[in-house]
Amino acid sequence: PRHHGDRAHPLPPRSGLGVRQGLAVALCLASCGSSAASSDPPVDAMVVDLARAFDGPLADAADASAADASPVVPFVREGRSWQLHQVDPIGGAPIFPTLAIGPAGPAVAFRKGTPDERYPVVSRWDGAAWSPPETIEREADIFLGKRPALVVDRDDGLHLIYYNEDATRLRYATRPAAASTWTLSYPYDEPGADAGDNAVLRIDEQGRLHGTFLRYGVYHTIYGVQEDGRWRFAPLSRDGVPVKTYEATLAVADDGRAHVVYADDQERIYYAHGGLAGWTHEPVDLETPEIGHYLDGALDPAGQMHVIYLQWTRDHPSVWVARRAGSWQTEQVDTELGIAYAAALTVLDDGTEL
């Protein structure tokens, strides 16, 4: 069965390739600056979660570069240079990195730990270096802190949701900018519900939090909104009936309208927009076989949705992008990628997809 972490859930079988977990690294655009003398926050900074399994073309290229001492730099775009910053020099099994940009600059959350315990941490960029990772909570549990999702509000407060496979509960952690400790709660506390994996968290222009996550067993994507400190949740539904899903990604428009792209139990991808009052659905990709893995999406300046996803086949794993421009257009990103493990997408102000 297909799953995304430490413990397999009883997902109905789908085709896919088992690949080795690659190295997660943080990359920063050159525009974020690396001078210790700079006091301006790197508002253009980005983190790319790069997971590579060294098989096929990448392995051949790596072997070749080792022979001539030249670096392997896949996907070079003319006019754009990159700087590498190590977030956590201590290490400790870091996994599931996620990035958010706030008024004081970037923040990154990830899970780290030991063979006996794992836990969520957050680090901030001060213009010259990343701060030592700050532990949100810690207990002797190797299943704590899975798939964290992070946002920073307009006052530079931090908000994080994540999953604990042992407790099978969604956790919400928040820390205002002036506070020194985190406040923890369990906003979705349905009795007996195994919920919280595949979490996505966004914030709209009014400061409202929006989130999606998977509820196992029934395989529903749960959508929630926090307003005035109170969360409200409902499953993603079509004509009043909850939709059976494997994965979903979320983007939120300035007016608070939610945009969700999800993969259903037939390996088809759909787009839905709306909110707790109801959703409008339309197909995205019903033809490409064995798709929908590791969805991620974003809105462009015109409010149109873009989404990236993986196709896992035994013959040719690949990465695809779909974009909505009147109708949906799909495109394979790189035919020479080889084995792909994870993907992320953002859209710049000029409409460029990264």
Side-chain angles (χ1 to χ4, degrees):
R2 169 172 167 265
H3 64 103
H4 300 296
D6 308 297
R7 176 179 295 166
H9 285 83
L11 287 171
R14 296 175 68 180
S15 299
L17 286 175
V19 297
R20 293 171 291 174
Q21 177 78 31
L23 172 68
V25 300
L27 294 168
C28 179
L29 282 176
S31 59
C32 74
S34 61
S35 171
S38 174
S39 60
D40 295 330
V43 295
D44 294 325
M46 294 170 44
V47 164
V48 176
D49 305 332
L50 178 62
R52 300 196 307 182
F54 287 94
D55 294 285
L58 283 181
D60 298 339
D63 292 340
S65 71
D68 62 11
S70 62
V72 178
V73 187
F75 315 122
V76 172
R77 182 185 295 272
E78 184 178 355
R80 187 179 301 279
S81 59
W82 296 84
Q83 297 174 354
L84 175 67
H85 300 271
Q86 189 169 10
V87 177
D88 181 14
I90 297 175
I95 194 172
F96 302 125
T98 181
L99 173 80
I101 307 294
V108 63
F110 53 98
R111 190 179 73 168
K112 64 178 295 182
T114 69
D116 300 319
E117 61 177 1
R118 293 176 186 140
Y119 45 90
V121 298
V122 171
S123 179
R124 299 297 303 263
W125 174 260
D126 65 5
W130 291 92
S131 65
E134 174 187 354
T135 300
I136 298 171
E137 62 167 324
R138 187 167 182 170
E139 58 187 55
D141 188 335
I142 65 171
F143 300 110
L144 177 64
K146 184 181 176 187
R147 280 290 191 98
L150 174 71
V151 298
V152 185
D153 64 34
R154 67 185 70 179
D155 298 318
D156 213 45
L158 300 173
H159 304 264
L160 192 73
I161 59 175
Y162 53 93
Y163 178 52
N164 183 341
E165 282 186 293
D166 262 353
T168 64
R169 301 169 78 184
L170 178 77
R171 299 194 182 204
Y172 168 56
T174 182
R175 180 170 68 78
S180 59
T181 59
W182 291 84
T183 299
L184 296 174
S185 62
Y186 303 92
Y188 186 80
D189 203 14
E190 297 288 331
D194 183 355
D197 205 357
N198 299 352
V200 182
L201 187 64
R202 310 294 190 201
I203 190 166
D204 65 26
E205 288 295 315
Q206 289 72 44
R208 295 172 297 202
L209 296 177
H210 302 248
T212 57
F213 52 90
L214 180 64
R215 177 171 176 172
Y216 285 113
V218 291
Y219 298 99
H220 294 163
T221 289
I222 307 299
Y223 167 74
V225 180
Q226 188 212 54
E227 191 170 11
D228 299 326
R230 176 176 173 266
W231 283 94
R232 294 180 295 147
F233 296 98
L236 183 70
S237 60
R238 183 190 290 122
D239 299 325
V241 178
V243 178
K244 193 171 185 178
T245 60
Y246 279 100
E247 295 194 37
T249 187
L250 169 69
V252 179
D254 291 346
D255 62 2
R257 178 173 289 271
H259 300 257
V260 174
V261 177
Y262 63 92
D264 71 1
D265 59 343
Q266 302 298 314
E267 297 185 317
R268 301 170 301 190
I269 297 179
Y270 288 87
Y271 163 65
H273 57 91
L276 293 174
W279 300 88
T280 300
H281 298 252
E282 59 188 65
V284 175
D285 189 343
L286 308 184
E287 303 298 331
T288 309
E290 302 181 58
I291 56 171
H293 306 261
Y294 289 96
L295 288 161
D296 190 37
L299 295 172
D300 64 23
Q304 298 298 310
M305 189 69 175
H306 300 237
V307 63
I308 194 168
Y309 51 93
L310 269 58
Q311 176 193 33
W312 279 356
T313 66
R314 295 190 180 277
D315 297 327
H316 195 86
S318 55
V319 179
W320 291 72
V321 166
R323 63 188 64 87
R324 189 173 186 263
S327 59
W328 281 93
Q329 304 167 358
T330 60
E331 178 184 4
Q332 189 173 347
V333 174
D334 193 323
T335 58
E336 302 301 325
L337 182 63
I339 291 180
Y341 185 78
L345 175 74
T346 191
V347 182
L348 303 184
D349 288 343
D350 63 0
T352 301
E353 296 168 331
L354 295 178

